Amino acid sequence: MKDFRSVADAVAEEIAAGRLKGGERLPPQREFARLHAIADSTASRVYQELARRGLTVGHVGRGTFVTEAPGAPAPAPALSEPADSRVDLELNHPVVPEQAGLLAAGLEKLVRSERLESVLRPVGPAGTPDAREAAADLLARGRWRPDPERVLFAGNGRQAISAAVAALTRPGARLGVEEFTYPVLKAIAARLGVTLVPLAMDGDGLIPEAVEEAHRADPLHAVYVQPVLHNPLSLTMPARRLDRLADVLLTSGIDAIEDAVWAFLRDDVAPLASRAPERTVLVDSLSKRLSPGLSLGFAVAPAAAGRVAGALRSGGWTPMRFPLEAMAQWQADGAVDILVRAKRREAGVRQEIAHRHLGGFRTCGDPFSYYRWWELPGPWRADTFVAAAARQGIAVTPAAAFTSGRHRGPQAIRLGLASPTRETLSRALATLADLARSAPDDFAGE
């Protein structure tokens, strides 16, 4: 029985050799299954794997196409769950040993009979006054604290982003994004009929002049930006760059969606929202701070609060009351601050592990970040390295997953350092380092 990865590798080689060209349509999955003598379910996994590597893109009603040619469809959509991978360096879920005990103590207070009835009542996007005050304290950083009256809630961070995009744009609108951007944002834009406009970056993040230039060429409706601990590059904009970007937004009348999901790891940096509040919707979430299973999103929208609240309601993205109350309890108990400090320390430890194994390669990662960006040594290509790593039981993400334009991007991968244990992470990075020092041909027959 053929393994889906080996079939995907064969298709990847066809693409690399130019026998399958950019923009070319692959056969329907059932036909593909017959051609390769595999089950329909295996063919489906092959197509999922090709999309995950950034080699193909699927369009409902049209089919699956090879990426990268002029006029080809947009790059691959959001990341999928890695299939059957023993070590997950794709998804990033920071966990520290003390979090279960700290969170359990807060939950015990919520499930007492005298509180449980109120905790289980429905709630809208504005939450409750106590929850808004707690959220304002939780989101505060760099001498900035949002106005609690402008804090809205969503079921999770992705829903908060979706609501912000829906509120600030419309179908056919142009949304400026960094040239490397959050993959889920690409899927959100496609679903809402919004066109992404790639904007140039440098070592300090998004270049404000690139925003001005794109806006002059054809007006932008909004810009989505990750100023602090950018995913995947781990860049943080210095204060001067943030000030300049705020000036561009205010002068040009462009709204911004500021994704601050990882910014809790750098509380010394005041957000873009503190510099251009009337033009910025800041979005954040609870799960990275506390635990992967704790889902709650935040949107701070001083000027567009009504539109964002409307988008949350119409999209069905309003929160449940229980996580709202739990967040307020953990914030009051000090559990949030304890866990945030622990996760900052843990990020530093994991970056040191990465540096120990990958110090001889071209990588970058902020000491407070849980990501590492790796520019692969030649002759490795990102797609073949991802496939070779998968055969070693390690899931990593190719640069193509993050590109916002039609080009595939550099021969690089992103490593998520948070999910495995330290020992597992160390072994996995040692394996990847050995793999990078080998020739791609060494693994062609595996």
Side-chain angles (χ1 to χ4, degrees):
M1 181 177 177
K2 293 182 181 178
D3 177 75
F4 77 94
R5 293 190 188 89
S6 64
V7 180
D9 291 345
V11 177
E13 288 302 318
E14 292 286 306
I15 294 171
R19 292 186 288 273
L20 279 174
K21 301 185 183 301
E24 188 169 342
R25 184 177 182 273
L26 297 184
Q29 291 183 17
R30 288 187 179 180
E31 182 180 339
F32 183 91
R34 290 195 297 271
L35 289 172
H36 292 267
I38 58 178
D40 289 353
S41 59
T42 303
S44 176
R45 297 182 76 183
V46 170
Y47 276 45
Q48 291 173 9
E49 176 68 10
L50 292 170
R52 190 183 67 80
R53 298 184 196 179
L55 298 176
T56 63
V57 63
H59 286 273
V60 176
R62 293 179 55 203
T64 299
F65 298 80
V66 178
T67 58
E68 269 205 55
L79 303 179
S80 58
E81 295 279 347
D84 301 328
S85 295
R86 294 187 294 276
V87 182
D88 179 8
L89 302 186
E90 277 198 302
L91 302 179
N92 227 7
H93 299 311
V95 174
V96 291
E98 57 264 50
Q99 75 183 40
L102 285 168
L103 299 177
L107 288 177
E108 287 177 2
K109 299 175 183 178
L110 291 181
V111 298
R112 293 172 182 167
S113 58
E114 65 270 18
R115 289 198 62 186
L116 192 56
E117 183 179 353
S118 64
V119 166
L120 295 179
R121 289 175 182 169
V123 69
T128 65
D130 288 347
R132 291 195 297 273
E133 288 287 346
D137 289 338
L138 181 143
L139 297 172
R141 57 183 167 90
R143 299 182 180 179
W144 171 82
R145 182 181 185 269
D147 178 355
E149 294 303 313
R150 299 300 185 179
V151 175
L152 300 170
F153 300 95
N156 56 48
R158 294 181 180 188
Q159 292 175 356
I161 295 172
S162 296
V165 174
L168 299 182
T169 67
R170 60 177 184 269
R174 285 164 46 85
L175 177 64
V177 295
E178 294 140 320
E179 57 185 309
F180 293 97
T181 193
Y182 180 36
V184 171
L185 186 276
K186 298 194 288 184
I188 290 170
R191 187 175 69 247
L192 296 176
V194 173
T195 299
L196 297 185
V197 180
L199 302 172
M201 304 176 68
D202 61 15
D204 286 336
L206 177 65
I207 300 173
E209 289 72 21
V211 179
E212 289 181 307
E213 182 179 350
H215 189 60
R216 282 196 300 267
D218 192 354
L220 299 173
H221 290 78
V223 173
Y224 168 89
V225 61
Q226 304 173 78
V228 180
L229 297 181
H230 174 276
N231 173 20
L233 301 178
S234 296
L235 301 175
T236 294
M237 290 187 184
R240 292 189 306 277
R241 177 64 61 87
L242 281 167
D243 291 340
R244 173 69 180 124
L245 179 57
D247 289 341
V248 169
L249 298 177
L250 295 170
T251 302
S252 303
I254 304 171
D255 292 319
I257 301 164
E258 179 178 9
D259 188 337
V261 166
W262 289 103
F264 71 95
L265 296 168
R266 286 288 306 271
D267 68 343
D268 58 316
V269 182
L272 179 65
S274 69
R275 294 164 162 87
E278 61 271 48
R279 282 293 172 187
T280 306
V281 176
L282 182 143
V283 294
D284 206 330
S285 75
L286 192 65
S287 59
K288 296 292 191 284
R289 282 177 174 82
L290 299 188
S291 180
L294 299 172
S295 177
L296 183 65
F298 308 95
V300 181
R307 285 180 287 161
V308 176
L312 287 168
R313 284 190 290 266
S314 63
W317 299 321
T318 53
M320 303 297 289
R321 185 164 184 150
F322 191 88
L324 230 67
E325 298 285 349
M327 176 274 299
Q329 184 67 60
W330 288 318
Q331 181 65 27
D333 289 348
V336 174
D337 288 341
I338 294 171
L339 288 178
V340 165
R341 289 195 296 270
K343 292 188 178 186
R344 287 174 188 151
R345 292 192 297 271
E346 185 64 20
V349 171
R350 289 170 181 261
Q351 287 290 349
E352 288 174 4
I353 293 172
H355 181 72
R356 184 166 70 246
H357 291 292
L358 306 177
F361 299 98
R362 294 186 62 184
T363 69
C364 63
D366 189 286
F368 292 100
S369 170
Y370 281 94
Y371 291 121
R372 197 88 181 176
W373 184 253
W374 185 0
E375 295 185 19
L376 297 169
W380 280 104
R381 298 192 316 273
D383 56 348
T384 53
F385 191 86
V386 169
R391 288 196 289 272
Q392 303 300 310
I394 304 170
V396 299
T397 310
F402 304 96
T403 56
S404 54
R406 296 189 182 278
H407 67 288
R408 189 179 299 177
Q411 302 304 331
I413 61 170
R414 189 205 67 180
L415 303 172
L417 308 179
S419 298
T421 65
R422 292 179 184 179
E423 295 74 17
T424 301
L425 175 65
S426 182
R427 289 195 299 270
L429 294 178
T431 298
L432 294 178
D434 289 341
L435 182 63
R437 296 186 188 101
S438 305
D441 291 344
D442 294 344
F443 296 85
E446 293 189 10

